[in-house]
Amino acid sequence: MLPNPEHNSHSNPVMVVGAGPVGLLCALVLARAGVPVCVLESEPRTTLDLRAGTFHPPTLEMLEPLGVTQAMMAVGIRVPTWQSRDLQEGLVVEWDMGVLKNDTPYPYRLHLEQHRLTPILLGMLQAYPHAQVLFSHEFQSLDQTSSPGAVKVVALDRSRSDLDQARPVEFTSSWVIGADGGKSLVRKSVNIEFDGYTWPERYSVVSTTFDWAPLGYADNAYISDPDQWVAFFKMPDVGPPGLWRMTVPVGTDLSDEEVLHPRYANAIFNRVLNAKTPIEFPIVHQSVYRVHQRVAKEFRVGRVLLAGDSAHVNNPLGGFGLNSGIHDAMNLGEKLARVFHGESDEDLLDLYVRQRRTVNMEYVQEISIKNKHNLEEKDPVRRRERIALLRSIAQSPEKTREYLLTSSMINSIKRANAIT
Ligand SMILES: Cc1cc2nc3c(=O)[nH]c(=O)nc-3n(C[C@H](O)[C@H](O)[C@H](O)COP(=O)(O)OP(=O)(O)OC[C@H]3O[C@@H](n4cnc5c(N)ncnc54)[C@H](O)[C@@H]3O)c2cc1C
């Protein structure tokens, strides 16, 4: 039976800032454990913009007991193989995730748009009477010095259309989780530095209904090229046949307007297609965004904790960003529930920090940077060596398994669990 939140009526709710996937999942894990939670979200609803969309096996394993994986599988696309390609060489290796069948019940990637996951999490969270989600409430500031064991939070309430102006509202919470994304105001409020750097190039995301499967493309493919690498993802969209999404780096010489023109998307697709006569691709969506490699110096200051993009950001090569945020949310939610119920002392939260920050530094940052360097390698000798290395790994079932244990994040979870 779930603990009854009434038993903790003396305790203030946990405040989660941000109703992105990480914030909603933190809140869901806490609510399931009987912890009263309140989520503040500045937008009037869960956001719709195209972002992450690849889910790795450990993420699916973690979300299964919550019933989230089952809901995702009903609308997502299973991707049992993915490809390493080269623009000149063509297919280098097709990786079969089936070699992980003894390591995980989910030996595949699942593709699902991030904005289709958030409504699933929100619906589950809203089923708990002790969970509250306040949209159009923008976090402004916090104070954890005025009363011991409590954090005062001030937000701007824009939900009242009958009022001309937003009105400040004050909340008293027991703990605050900053899940308010890369520009996190929660992180800034507690003066945590966001160490790292921003890449000079932006990334462009383009979706088309043109079907790449008959040309031999797996539902996920990474194409190396010294001038402009390409990452392909087949996404479910509103249902079959789905969409093909492509991410490419964009040089600093082009304006956002030029990059967002269908002419630019068409030029890239035609370059990959290598057709004698360029064709017109049906373009459904285009966006451009900046990419960073940053990790917060601390994930915890007193009663304030960070999770997801507010704690760490990385390039999307490997699909680690959102997955690692979900791993944070599960880890933190479970530990904070125990602390909240008095089953464990606060030191348990420092274990969350040690496990998740270490893994982010050693794994998410390191491998996403390496993936990027590999795809964009300009030195022809090193490019040939890398292609030969990938092919030699693919020759050995044991090396293939080890390669896929790392690329599918299974090794990162093993590493985190080994930290005490
Ligand atoms: C434009 C963009 C494109 C991306 N594309 C990819 C991709 O292709 N592949 C990939 O793997 N990853 C991608 N990512 C990264 C991935 O989307 C993130 O890792 C993921 O969104 C992290 O989830 P989160 O819940 O931590 O943060 P977010 O999804 O950013 O959610 C944060 C939430 O907090 C809310 N918020 C912010 N400030 C406040 C405030 N002051 N008060 C209240 N609420 C607030 C926001 O409105 C938002 O709903 C992309 C990220 C961005 C920004």
Side-chain angles (χ1 to χ4, degrees):
M1 202 174 96
L2 292 175
N4 183 347
E6 293 304 315
H7 295 158
N8 288 287
S9 55
H10 59 282
S11 300
N12 296 308
V14 171
M15 183 65 75
V16 179
V17 182
V22 174
L24 289 173
L25 185 59
C26 284
L28 180 60
V29 174
L30 288 161
R32 274 172 53 91
V35 177
V37 281
C38 177
V39 181
L40 297 178
E41 168 57 51
S42 52
E43 297 295 323
R45 59 193 68 84
T46 53
T47 57
L48 263 174
D49 51 338
L50 281 196
R51 297 192 183 184
T54 302
F55 296 90
H56 288 298
T59 307
L60 300 173
E61 284 181 50
M62 282 179 202
L63 295 176
E64 185 193 277
L66 283 69
V68 175
T69 298
Q70 297 83 328
M72 291 169 74
M73 301 268 275
V75 282
I77 297 176
R78 280 188 200 198
V79 182
T81 63
W82 58 276
Q83 295 173 337
S84 296
R85 289 178 160 264
D86 181 83
L87 201 61
Q88 263 82 54
E89 291 257 340
L91 180 63
V92 176
V93 174
E94 178 151 321
W95 304 101
D96 181 355
M97 304 254 308
V99 301
L100 301 180
K101 64 179 188 302
N102 296 327
D103 298 286
T104 172
Y106 299 98
Y108 43 83
R109 296 178 172 192
L110 188 79
H111 283 186
L112 180 69
E113 291 90 350
Q114 179 174 324
H115 65 264
R116 291 185 211 288
L117 168 63
T118 41
I120 294 173
L121 297 173
L122 178 65
M124 290 180 173
L125 179 62
Q126 286 176 327
Y128 289 91
H130 50 282
Q132 199 181 16
V133 184
L134 299 174
F135 286 103
S136 300
H137 278 69
E138 184 182 328
F139 168 87
Q140 295 285 291
S141 62
L142 60 83
D143 170 17
Q144 51 178 338
T145 58
S146 53
S147 57
V151 191
K152 300 264 180 224
V153 168
V154 177
L156 274 187
D157 174 2
R158 292 203 175 82
S159 63
R160 297 271 305 272
S161 53
D162 55 324
L163 296 179
D164 284 348
Q165 287 184 334
R167 53 180 189 130
V169 222
E170 191 176 293
F171 301 86
T172 304
S173 48
S174 49
W175 297 86
V176 172
I177 297 177
D180 50 338
K183 294 180 181 151
S184 173
L185 194 54
V186 173
R187 186 185 66 236
K188 290 172 189 157
S189 306
V190 284
N191 297 316
I192 298 178
E193 284 173 47
F194 209 24
D195 286 349
Y197 53 88
T198 298
W199 295 103
E201 67 268 40
R202 291 148 296 155
Y203 286 11
S204 164
V205 180
V206 187
S207 301
T208 179
T209 49
F210 181 87
D211 188 4
W212 292 80
L215 300 172
Y217 284 79
D219 289 349
N220 183 198
Y222 296 95
I223 310 172
S224 58
D225 184 68
D227 297 325
Q228 191 177 40
W229 52 260
V230 185
F232 264 111
F233 308 86
K234 172 91 183 279
M235 302 306 294
D237 191 38
V238 287
L243 290 176
W244 287 81
R245 186 198 286 189
M246 177 196 71
T247 302
V248 289
V250 174
T252 47
D253 52 324
L254 292 173
S255 68
D256 280 1
E257 288 69 34
E258 287 169 300
V259 174
L260 293 171
H261 197 284
R263 190 172 47 233
Y264 182 76
N266 266 292
I268 294 166
F269 281 137
N270 275 298
R271 184 166 174 264
V272 178
L273 192 65
N274 200 17
K276 285 196 181 70
T277 316
I279 63 164
E280 189 78 18
F281 284 83
I283 307 294
V284 177
H285 151 268
Q286 286 182 270
S287 60
V288 62
Y289 70 102
R290 294 212 69 92
V291 186
H292 322 265
Q293 304 286 159
R294 294 182 188 274
V295 181
K297 220 169 191 142
E298 317 281 343
F299 282 16
R300 177 187 175 202
V301 173
R303 290 183 166 262
V304 178
L305 295 131
L306 303 180
D309 273 20
S310 74
H312 46 76
V313 285
N314 55 275
N315 78 63
L317 294 170
F320 301 141
L322 177 54
N323 283 273
S324 60
I326 289 176
H327 303 171
D328 291 350
M330 294 300 301
N331 188 316
L332 174 58
E334 284 162 10
K335 288 184 170 66
L336 186 54
R338 288 179 57 194
V339 172
F340 183 91
H341 289 305
E343 295 162 9
S344 188
D345 65 28
E346 290 180 28
D347 291 353
L348 189 63
L349 300 171
D350 295 325
L351 178 59
Y352 157 72
V353 179
R354 284 199 300 282
Q355 290 179 328
R356 296 304 312 156
R357 190 172 186 283
T358 307
V359 160
N360 199 275
M361 296 294 288
E362 284 181 3
Y363 183 94
V364 172
Q365 298 299 324
E366 203 176 306
I367 298 177
S368 63
I369 294 168
K370 197 164 127 195
N371 285 345
K372 179 178 181 303
H373 287 325
N374 281 339
L375 284 185
E376 70 193 9
E377 179 60 62
K378 293 202 184 309
D379 183 287
V381 176
R382 283 212 289 266
R383 282 183 55 217
R384 276 198 301 277
E385 282 171 359
R386 180 183 158 266
I387 287 171
L389 175 68
L390 291 176
R391 286 186 171 141
S392 80
I393 292 171
Q395 294 298 311
S396 152
E398 207 30 62
K399 283 185 188 163
T400 299
R401 176 174 165 267
E402 200 46 49
Y403 183 77
L404 293 179
L405 282 173
T406 296
S407 57
S408 67
M409 301 187 92
I410 293 174
N411 279 343
S412 90
I413 296 299
K414 282 188 189 156
R415 169 75 180 114
N417 290 343
I419 298 171
T420 53

